[in-house]
Amino acid sequence: MSKLPYEVQSEPVTPLSVLSPEGEVVNEAYLPNLTDDQLKEIMYRMVFTRTWDERAVNLGRQGRLGFYAPVSGQEASMVGSEYALNKDDFVCPGYRDMPQIVWHGLPLYQAFLYSRGHQHGGQIPEGVHVLMPQIIIGAQILHATGVAMAFKKKGEKRVAITYTGDGGSSEGDFYEGMNFAGAFKLPVIYVVQNNGYAITTPYEKQTAAQSIAHKALAAGIRGVQVDGMDVLAVIKAVSEAAERGRNGEGATLIEMITYRYRPHSMADDTTKYRTKDEEGEWSLKDPLVRFGKYLEKKGLWSDEETARVKEEAKATVNEHIKKAEATEKMTVSGLIDSMFEHTPAHLEAQKADFQ
Amino acid sequence: MAQMNMKEAIRDAMRVELKNDPNVYIFGEDVGKVGGVFRATEGLQGEFGEDRVFDTPLAESAIAGMAVGMGIQGFRPVAEIQFVGFIYEALDQMFVQAARMRYRSGGRYNSPIVFRTPFGGGVKAAELHTDSLEGLAIQTPGIKVIVPSNPYDAKGLLVAAIRDNDPVFFMEHLNLYHAFRAEVPEEAYTVEIGKANVVREGSDVTIIAYGLMVHTAVKAADELEKSGIKAEVIDLRTLVPLDIETIVASIKKTNRAIVVQEAQKTSGAAAEIIAQINENAILHLEAPVLRVAGPDTVYPFAQVEDAWLPSTARIVKAVNQVINF
């Protein structure tokens, strides 16, 4: 049925892809301008992140890590989006977005401490512009909005970026954040990593919207959709959004179509809601394979290189998990002292029960 | 010195801090151009500009969440939630995000934010405008809770709250905004957060109150005096941190106490105060500490509000019960 003139129109959107699954450039016009060294660095980070993820799952099974949300499959959207930022841009991550804040500067052992439930995991070093991962889905979206407001008020050419999943786009805070950014024209990037599932709930049960990118229309900000398994498309979209933010052109919502090969968390069983066919189909889109093929054709990468990075990553993970395990144990007195700038008398008195 | 009502004193606190500190920003629904639904920010946008004092879209969670984001960038936001009942929309950002920021980050970040909100009964307001929700804040670790009862304290406490590097929930009683005028210094000054005030000295019983109930308690004390009972009235001013020392010192003198709160009886501030009295002064008590509070119903329809709210008569009755125990 054709739309009536007084009916809101919304055209379907095609996700931005730069590379085909075979690693061929399919969209020359949107190829980001990167040097060979930069291309290799991006691949290095994606392989490193995949290896770290595999190790983290095993460390979790051994009881050496606690809460952990796997990331395999989402390397392009995570690593690529962070790579497109400047170091002084500010990252407000969700609980799955550990790779972005580690590549933005959080030491890996602190990421492990966060997983193990140690306060030092959240003590972000000075000069690293990130928040610790957010557990309340949607809350980080408002923090990024506030950070962007601060950048705008200070006249700084910086952007805030925040991440949520497809499920998170149903939260009120998701809409409120984007709407504030629209009203105040803030330099902020809202990334939705749409991996098709919020734990067991598929996209179709989350929303009847034809895409999450379309939700930008409700806030009057720019919305784009990207092939989230294509790291060059991700970098292109985020660089462009950051540029617009810095130039005072406002906020962007970027929906990245992606997939997680592993469960939602260590407590999840994907066999109850996903099919082998589906998993097989997405494995053909593996961001590491696709980008690896592209680099191989350019003579910049090889299987040996991948093997070398994996070994290096394993060694680094080992070193950092040991450092995490060797970190001084927390005390209740220490927790009490971290509540306020000046510990009030009633809290001071409560320390006595723990000495 | 100038004569100010509590609303004017609150406005003056924001004015002096906007002037003192370029990091102070004021925002909320309708706080800019018109200066707030109660005019508590009137004239501030005119004096300091739209950059410092501005209106926001109508969304409490985003107002509070934006304050958190600005707070970690070194700003000192004073965010207004238009009426107390609307804090439910913002609870995650106020009582989870802001209140935990310092702790979660091991001191790397903090939330130097004041969340101002009007509350309090006796003005025949619409639903969810007047509930006493301080109990929710009291049981939330990481946020300070202030309820001033007069213009002098309101200004000094708000200046202190804005300068505090941790989040403060600042509750302004609707019935006190225009109730009376008092001498308020025109310059910036602070009233220490966490310090109660003995507003009336007495030797027979201690009446502990805050907000509008301080005034109801003083009226009750006037009445009690006619029958020879000398009541000491303590205005808590701050509920977190609670000044238990001042309370205990008074009870050591009077050996009897009641706590008056406008909120419903179950839980809330009074229960916590009584628990702390038990822990710190049980051997000085000649009678149990009683509560005068609203009944455990939803906040009353406007037509029955006066009967529902704690009255002078109910305070007198409770004092007589502890005296004659």
Side-chain angles (χ1 to χ4, degrees):
Chain A
M1 212 169 82
S2 65
K3 300 259 179 180
L4 295 163
Y6 51 85
E7 202 174 339
V8 173
Q9 310 284 317
S10 125
E11 299 305 318
V13 61
T14 312
L16 168 65
S17 274
V18 175
L19 295 177
S20 71
E22 293 72 40
E24 303 289 346
V25 176
V26 291
N27 226 332
E28 192 80 40
Y30 296 116
L31 197 61
N33 190 16
L34 296 161
T35 64
D36 287 354
D37 281 349
Q38 287 175 315
L39 292 169
K40 283 159 77 176
E41 173 65 18
I42 293 159
M43 187 63 185
Y44 172 89
R45 291 184 183 193
M46 291 210 293
V47 174
F48 189 109
T49 303
R50 174 71 56 91
T51 312
W52 155 21
D53 190 57
E54 284 162 358
R55 287 292 297 139
V57 168
N58 287 330
L59 288 167
R61 290 194 182 117
Q62 294 165 20
R64 296 174 74 188
L65 281 183
F67 171 77
Y68 184 73
V71 301
S72 285
Q74 298 186 205
E75 291 88 348
S77 69
M78 292 175 162
V79 171
S81 60
E82 191 285 328
Y83 194 80
L85 302 172
N86 291 341
K87 277 297 166 211
D88 69 349
D89 292 332
F90 198 95
V91 183
C92 297
Y95 54 79
R96 197 180 301 280
D97 304 307
M98 207 50 112
Q100 293 95 309
I101 61 173
V102 166
W103 292 116
H104 213 57
L106 180 74
L108 190 56
Y109 84 95
Q110 286 189 266
F112 292 155
L113 283 172
Y114 177 84
S115 169
R116 291 165 63 88
H118 192 296
Q119 193 172 36
H120 183 47
Q123 282 177 318
I124 312 296
E126 285 289 338
V128 175
H129 301 287
V130 305
L131 268 178
M132 44 288 177
Q134 179 56 246
I135 293 293
I136 301 300
I137 295 173
Q140 73 276 20
I141 292 166
L142 300 179
H143 301 162
T145 307
V147 167
M149 178 62 100
F151 291 162
K152 184 177 177 174
K153 293 218 172 275
K154 287 191 266 192
E156 296 177 341
K157 297 246 176 227
R158 301 165 73 184
V159 298
I161 190 168
T162 185
Y163 298 84
T164 191
D166 37 317
S169 72
S170 298
E171 292 277 359
D173 284 350
F174 173 72
Y175 170 69
E176 288 190 21
M178 290 197 302
N179 189 55
F180 266 50
F184 292 115
K185 214 166 192 194
L186 301 178
V188 54
I189 305 169
Y190 301 104
V191 175
V192 174
Q193 297 182 87
N194 179 358
N195 61 25
Y197 293 93
I199 309 190
T200 68
T201 305
Y203 178 84
E204 296 70 33
K205 292 196 173 166
Q206 207 62 248
T207 178
Q210 61 167 293
S211 86
I212 289 170
H214 278 89
K215 295 190 177 193
L217 292 172
I221 65 170
R222 186 164 177 264
V224 300
Q225 196 186 58
V226 180
D227 180 343
M229 306 300 261
D230 178 350
V231 74
L232 295 181
V234 167
I235 290 173
K236 175 69 187 170
V238 176
S239 308
E240 196 181 77
E243 201 56 30
R244 287 172 56 90
R246 291 193 190 99
N247 291 338
E249 292 167 69
T252 305
L253 166 64
I254 306 177
E255 178 185 15
M256 297 184 183
I257 309 296
T258 182
Y259 198 75
R260 59 174 158 78
Y261 296 136
R262 293 181 178 279
H264 157 75
S265 71
M266 303 303 288
D268 178 32
D269 177 6
T270 56
T271 60
K272 297 217 168 100
Y273 60 94
R274 291 204 307 218
T275 63
K276 283 272 168 235
D277 282 357
E278 179 187 302
E279 288 176 349
E281 205 177 296
W282 278 97
S283 72
L284 300 174
K285 298 178 185 167
D286 190 322
L288 274 62
V289 174
R290 180 190 301 202
F291 191 54
K293 283 180 183 166
Y294 171 71
L295 293 188
E296 273 171 41
K297 281 175 203 153
K298 289 174 81 84
L300 297 173
W301 202 261
S302 63
D303 289 347
E304 292 73 44
E305 194 68 0
T306 298
R308 188 191 66 76
V309 176
K310 282 192 168 198
E311 284 315 306
E312 193 180 315
K314 278 183 204 165
T316 308
V317 167
N318 272 346
E319 184 194 318
H320 282 265
I321 190 73
K322 281 182 191 147
K323 190 170 177 187
E325 287 169 337
T327 301
E328 204 180 338
K329 286 191 167 58
M330 288 181 296
T331 63
V332 175
S333 293
L335 293 183
I336 287 174
D337 282 338
S338 66
M339 287 300 302
F340 295 99
E341 182 181 32
H342 306 292
T343 303
H346 72 284
L347 266 177
E348 199 61 58
Q350 288 172 25
K351 285 186 198 167
D353 293 339
F354 301 93
Q355 273 153 5
Chain B
M1 288 287 219
Q3 288 279 321
M4 293 185 200
N5 63 29
M6 197 173 88
K7 179 201 74 182
E8 290 160 348
I10 285 166
R11 178 168 62 211
D12 207 47
M14 288 185 273
R15 196 180 59 78
V16 295
E17 287 310 283
L18 278 163
K19 201 178 259 183
N20 280 345
D21 186 345
N23 290 316
V24 173
Y25 283 77
I26 291 172
F27 52 87
E29 295 157 10
D30 311 301
V31 304
K33 200 169 182 189
V34 301
V37 290
F38 294 104
R39 306 294 180 262
T41 52
E42 194 170 38
L44 297 181
Q45 190 183 74
E47 189 174 348
F48 297 95
E50 214 177 323
D51 181 51
R52 302 281 302 283
V53 182
F54 58 95
D55 293 319
T56 66
L58 200 167
E60 289 77 14
S61 185
I63 292 169
M66 187 166 74
V68 174
M70 291 171 75
I72 60 170
Q73 286 298 318
F75 287 74
R76 307 188 82 84
V78 181
E80 180 180 301
I81 304 295
Q82 199 162 65
F83 286 100
V84 71
F86 315 160
I87 68 165
Y88 290 111
E89 316 303 316
L91 279 193
D92 173 55
Q93 291 295 339
M94 292 170 60
F95 293 175
V96 179
Q97 306 300 334
R100 291 180 185 220
M101 185 60 78
R102 182 183 293 280
Y103 178 88
R104 288 187 69 227
S105 68
R108 171 68 173 85
Y109 296 115
N110 61 312
S111 291
I113 304 167
V114 181
F115 297 107
R116 288 182 47 241
T117 196
F119 83 108
V123 294
K124 305 271 185 286
E127 264 190 295
L128 279 161
H129 283 52
T130 46
D131 298 44
S132 290
L133 301 182
E134 63 275 17
L136 300 175
I138 289 167
Q139 74 112 64
T140 298
I143 190 160
K144 294 174 181 173
V145 184
I146 296 176
V147 191
S149 71
N150 62 71
Y152 180 88
D153 286 353
K155 180 172 171 183
L157 285 165
L158 184 51
V159 170
I162 293 170
R163 293 179 185 181
D164 200 289
N165 284 326
D166 289 302
V168 174
F169 185 43
F170 196 87
M171 300 180 72
E172 303 168 5
H173 202 291
L174 282 165
N175 219 344
L176 292 174
Y177 269 151
H178 308 108
F180 59 96
R181 285 174 186 278
E183 290 285 316
V184 175
E186 283 173 72
E187 69 278 7
Y189 65 92
T190 57
V191 169
E192 192 184 344
I193 296 171
K195 280 275 173 284
N197 188 24
V198 178
V199 294
R200 183 193 175 98
E201 299 218 6
S203 50
D204 299 327
V205 62
T206 302
I207 306 177
I208 301 154
Y210 56 97
L212 179 69
M213 288 301 118
V214 172
H215 302 280
T216 314
V218 168
K219 277 182 213 147
D222 286 343
E223 233 164 87
L224 286 161
E225 193 151 31
K226 289 175 199 159
S227 45
I229 297 167
K230 292 188 179 64
E232 179 146 302
V233 179
I234 296 178
D235 177 359
L236 291 173
R237 302 197 284 202
T238 299
L239 299 179
V240 177
L242 184 72
D243 184 359
I244 190 67
E245 274 181 33
T246 297
I247 295 169
V248 169
S250 177
I251 288 172
K252 280 183 180 170
K253 187 167 67 170
T254 62
N255 309 117
R256 289 176 170 84
I258 66 164
V259 187
V260 188
Q261 70 176 21
E262 189 173 320
Q264 290 85 344
K265 189 169 189 176
T266 299
S267 291
E272 176 57 28
I273 293 160
I274 293 169
Q276 291 200 34
I277 291 171
N278 272 334
E279 289 169 354
N280 292 288
I282 192 86
L283 295 177
H284 299 282
L285 288 172
E286 295 289 344
V289 183
L290 297 184
R291 281 179 285 188
V292 178
D296 286 324
T297 69
V298 170
Y299 193 84
F301 290 95
Q303 294 295 311
V304 71
E305 199 178 29
D306 292 339
W308 189 95
L309 289 166
S311 60
T312 317
R314 286 185 57 209
I315 295 172
V316 169
K317 189 178 162 197
V319 166
N320 282 319
Q321 275 177 280
V322 297
I323 297 273
N324 301 317
F325 179 75

